[in-house]
Amino acid sequence: MHLFPVVEFGGIGFDISSILAIVVSCIVVMVLARVAVSNLSVHNPSKVQNFMEWVIDFVHSTIASTMPLQKAKKFVILATTLIVFIFVSNLLGLPLGFVTEVDHDHHGPVTFMGQELLSAEEVDEAHANNEHLAFAWFKSPTADIAATAGLALVVFFLIHFLGITQNTKHYFKHYLEPFPVMLPLNLLKTITKPTTLALRLYANIFAGEVLIATILMLGWIGIPLLAVWQGFSIFVGAIQAFLFTILTFVYISESIVHEDH
Amino acid sequence: MHFVPSTTIIMIVAFILLYVFLNKYAFGPLFGIMEKRRELIQEQITTAEQSRTEAEQFLAEQKAALDQARKDAYEIIEQSKTTSTKQANEIVNTAKAEATRLKEDAVKDIESEKNKAIATLRGEVGELSVKIASKIIEKQVDSKSQEQLVNQYLKEVGGRP
């Protein structure tokens, strides 16, 4: 598979492709949102405004299905940001790929902006094993486990912060329910929830991109297949964005809403 | 699968920045506008409901007024009909009475004239008879036949009405 360019600054590794993807995703979302709301009107809404209102209403009803209506209102913007950002991120890797290959007769370290991506030994070893060396410079940010882990950490923080501040008593009591023996399981659950969020999103999008890369190796025969898979990836991207968002709010709702049993 | 921890941090920061940006410049204003539109629509519905009620009320009032006017007009017509009939009857009665009075007056007049004429005639006849009598007396004084004669004349004259 493609390698990802990781450069080191001050002993910390930075994955340039992921950072680029995150920045591009953010900019795309910002620009789209900004353009969509540039011409707001109370009396004569444009088509774009109607669409945005539909998105907001959709998100609102989605969240409202997981928690009481008056609590859902505060989270609509967060949920919309999440769903739009993840959806755009998921789609970003589909149309564009930017790959640089390392020639077979290249020897010595591979560098980028004065930074070493691969050491001379690694290149030689790869050549010796007849491996294909190529760097992918662009991808979906959500096809990177580290990026989805970031999103999941935000969710993790939100779940517990909101639980502690808004539902203090029941939040802590919740760990001992239904029986105190369940404490280890409940603790494990706090870890598994965000982990599954991150892994699910990453795995779906990454798998989609791997398959695209694989189909591309087929050459021109793969074109119809690629078209079908790209279409399906859009669907998967939308589903995963929706899933991530609704699960986030299911988890938040679990921690902030106390229901009498 | 490789994990670069810096990406996680960058993602968190990027997401928070994105959220703040969207909250402030995109979805926040959109939310405000949506709220305003909801209020506007609510207000319009209320206003429409109000004007509908008002219109219904007006319609009912108009209907009542129309009915009243119709009733009034009918009453006025009825009244004028009665009045005119009464007046006509009055006029006819007055005319009849007048005619009767006139006729009676005429009859009375005729009667009195007739009586006057009779009286006058009687006087004249008496005079005449006296004259005739004197003339006859001049010729032959026979009181018995004279009286008989006078009565005979008188009868002849008076019996003729």
Side-chain angles (χ1 to χ4, degrees), chain B residues 12-149:
Chain B
I12 293 171
V13 173
F15 184 76
I16 290 169
L17 285 179
L18 184 71
Y19 174 72
V20 170
F21 177 87
L22 290 185
N23 193 14
K24 196 160 184 191
Y25 295 107
F27 295 143
L30 184 67
F31 233 58
I33 292 286
M34 280 174 78
E35 204 54 46
K36 264 188 206 158
R37 281 187 53 187
R38 198 166 294 145
E39 274 167 21
L40 181 79
I41 288 165
Q42 200 58 49
E43 193 191 297
Q44 279 174 345
I45 288 173
T46 320
T47 318
E49 189 64 34
Q50 233 168 30
S51 34
R52 201 177 66 89
T53 324
E54 263 169 33
E56 263 171 15
Q57 200 184 322
F58 275 136
L59 192 67
E61 271 171 22
Q62 293 301 318
K63 242 181 202 167
L66 199 65
D67 279 352
Q68 188 61 41
R70 212 170 263 159
K71 220 161 111 190
D72 284 354
Y74 183 74
E75 257 169 34
I76 288 168
I77 289 171
E78 278 301 299
Q79 221 168 26
S80 57
K81 256 187 199 164
T82 345
T83 319
S84 60
T85 316
K86 217 191 271 172
Q87 266 176 349
N89 283 344
E90 248 168 46
I91 290 167
V92 169
N93 286 345
T94 321
K96 262 184 192 163
E98 188 77 4
T100 316
R101 197 175 58 81
L102 282 176
K103 200 174 134 196
E104 275 169 6
D105 279 2
V107 169
K108 255 184 218 162
D109 278 357
I110 289 167
E111 194 71 23
S112 69
E113 288 298 317
K114 195 179 114 188
N115 287 348
K116 244 188 237 170
I118 289 171
T120 319
L121 210 59
R122 241 185 215 158
E124 266 174 29
V125 167
E127 230 170 85
L128 212 61
S129 341
V130 171
K131 273 178 189 171
I132 293 167
S134 355
K135 270 192 184 154
I136 294 171
I137 290 167
E138 275 171 17
K139 280 176 190 174
Q140 105 184 80
V141 182
D142 183 1
S143 76
K144 205 178 169 191
S145 61
Q146 193 184 343
E147 196 189 334
Q148 205 181 337
L149 207 61

Side-chain angles (χ1 to χ4, degrees), chain A residues 112-164:
Chain A
F112 172 72
M113 292 197 316
Q115 296 293 320
E116 190 178 84
L117 297 179
L118 283 178
S119 64
E121 297 87 61
E122 282 173 314
V123 173
D124 288 335
E125 195 190 322
H127 287 329
N129 295 336
N130 212 11
E131 270 179 36
H132 180 73
L133 278 184
F135 287 99
W137 294 91
F138 195 73
K139 59 180 179 178
S140 284
T142 43
D144 184 341
I145 180 73
T148 57
L151 284 175
L153 273 176
V154 172
V155 174
F156 178 82
F157 171 77
L158 275 175
I159 293 171
H160 297 289
F161 176 76
L162 292 172
I164 290 168

